[in-house]
Amino acid sequence: MTHLVSRKQSLTDWQRVQLAQLEYHDWHLGEDILLPDGQLIGEVIKVIWMADGFRATVIRSAAYPQIIVLFRGSSGVRKGDPTTWTNEWLRVNLPIGNAIINQVPDVPQELWTASKEFNHLLASYPQMTFFLYGHSLGSINAQFALANCHYPERISAAYLYEGPNLYWLLDAKQRQTTTLLRCQIFNYIDPLDVVALGYIDMEHTIGLLRVIDSMMTSPINQHMWGGYQFDKQQNLLLENDFWQNRRAQIDQRLITAVQKLNQNNDEWER
């Protein structure tokens, strides 16, 4: 049998990105999950699709006592349906962006659903360790689910891509949980992707921040891993001087400017 995902994470960076991209596929129970290079990941054992828009695919490894959860991201303008705008943008993405900029704990219902469903999975498979993957909205839901995780000792690793920094929305208890999981969470962002906002330093983040040494492409393609670059060993190319990058400075100035504007509005209302 083809070697599957192990606790030592046998997948390369490129393979993990390919696996995360499969979160956008409409999977069915019993289907095998295969990477483009033919590597078998496992079998779909549950497909979650909730009324508030939360979606995830649950995979069981055939060779190891492990569960892989693919948190689905936003369908977007290319593959969206009539619920995309209401469920994903108006109810979640736009409020999250506003909450991060204003640094107020305004959490949409879908994130609480993600936490509840993830903890239910953990309780349903007590002998299993878990791997999480999420992109964009999938990263948002995965970050919040990890912050509310009831069994942090059973998280092997989480690979998150192009999500905004949810740290600013967490309370003290949730931040404590993400601190416990810090070395299990790998949070990848492309500094040219406008969706991945709110990262202003290395400390106020969920997990270990990994900044991509990206190439510029079109805005939608940039968000969909289009700027990612790999070496011959399929390792992601990372940027070492992100905090000198103008994007980090722009995020800080944006947050500061909006907070000042809101403060001035409050003073006028008085």
Side-chain angles (χ1 to χ4, degrees):
M1 180 179 290
T2 307
H3 186 59
L4 304 185
V5 181
S6 73
R7 190 172 182 86
K8 295 182 179 180
Q9 283 300 298
S10 61
L11 297 183
T12 65
D13 288 341
W14 181 84
Q15 288 175 316
R16 282 192 281 265
V17 168
Q18 299 304 308
L19 178 54
Q21 290 178 356
L22 294 179
E23 71 191 56
Y24 290 100
H25 184 77
D26 292 325
W27 296 100
H28 300 90
L29 292 179
E31 283 191 277
D32 287 336
I33 302 286
L34 294 170
L35 297 182
D37 61 7
Q39 177 142 335
L40 176 65
I41 298 300
E43 177 187 349
V44 176
I45 59 171
K46 188 172 185 179
V47 176
I48 303 172
W49 193 339
M50 306 301 289
D52 58 15
F54 173 65
R55 299 181 65 177
T57 302
V58 185
I59 306 162
R60 178 168 54 202
S61 166
Y64 299 96
Q66 296 166 355
I67 297 292
I68 302 118
V69 185
L70 306 182
F71 289 76
R72 183 157 177 158
S74 304
S75 298
V77 295
R78 292 186 297 179
K79 297 184 179 180
D81 57 36
T83 67
T84 297
W85 180 251
T86 55
N87 282 349
E88 298 178 4
W89 290 101
L90 290 183
R91 293 183 187 174
V92 180
N93 293 354
L94 295 181
I96 286 292
N98 178 70
I100 289 173
I101 290 173
N102 290 290
Q103 295 188 12
V104 293
D106 185 12
V107 179
Q109 178 58 42
E110 181 174 334
L111 277 67
W112 291 109
T113 300
S115 298
K116 178 181 177 181
E117 291 298 315
F118 182 59
N119 279 319
H120 179 70
L121 286 173
L122 287 163
S124 298
Y125 300 95
Q127 304 304 317
M128 301 284 195
T129 57
F130 280 70
F131 289 88
L132 289 73
Y133 288 80
H135 171 265
S136 189
L137 175 61
S139 171
I140 292 173
N141 282 327
Q143 287 181 64
F144 200 70
L146 288 164
N148 293 282
C149 177
H150 293 168
Y151 307 92
E153 70 280 359
R154 292 175 45 214
I155 306 301
S156 288
Y159 299 95
L160 311 179
Y161 303 91
E162 302 312 310
N165 185 11
L166 220 65
Y167 178 89
W168 307 110
L169 278 64
L170 304 183
D171 61 27
K173 182 179 179 181
Q174 292 165 336
R175 290 178 181 181
Q176 184 178 24
T177 301
T178 61
T179 298
L180 289 174
L181 288 168
R182 183 173 179 81
C183 293
Q184 279 72 49
I185 304 171
F186 301 90
N187 197 340
Y188 295 89
I189 64 167
D190 180 342
L192 300 177
D193 177 15
V194 296
V195 175
L197 58 82
Y199 296 93
I200 61 176
D201 58 42
M202 295 293 288
E203 295 181 6
H204 300 91
T205 63
I206 296 175
L208 302 173
L209 190 62
R210 297 289 184 263
V211 183
I212 305 301
D213 183 8
S214 63
M215 60 181 180
M216 183 172 288
T217 179
S218 62
I220 292 178
N221 192 45
Q222 198 85 50
H223 182 57
M224 301 301 294
W225 295 280
Y228 281 39
Q229 302 181 88
F230 302 85
D231 64 19
K232 294 181 180 179
Q233 288 73 44
Q234 298 187 347
N235 297 310
L236 264 170
L237 301 184
L238 302 177
E239 183 175 316
N240 295 321
D241 58 348
F242 174 63
W243 306 116
Q244 303 301 318
N245 186 295
R246 285 195 62 200
R247 174 57 203 281
Q249 298 174 26
I250 290 172
D251 267 17
Q252 178 64 76
R253 291 173 184 172
L254 178 62
I255 291 173
T256 302
V258 172
Q259 289 177 333
K260 184 175 181 180
L261 179 62
N262 288 339
Q263 181 180 6
N264 290 339
N265 287 339
D266 289 342
E267 290 175 354
W268 277 108
E269 290 174 359
R270 294 171 189 164

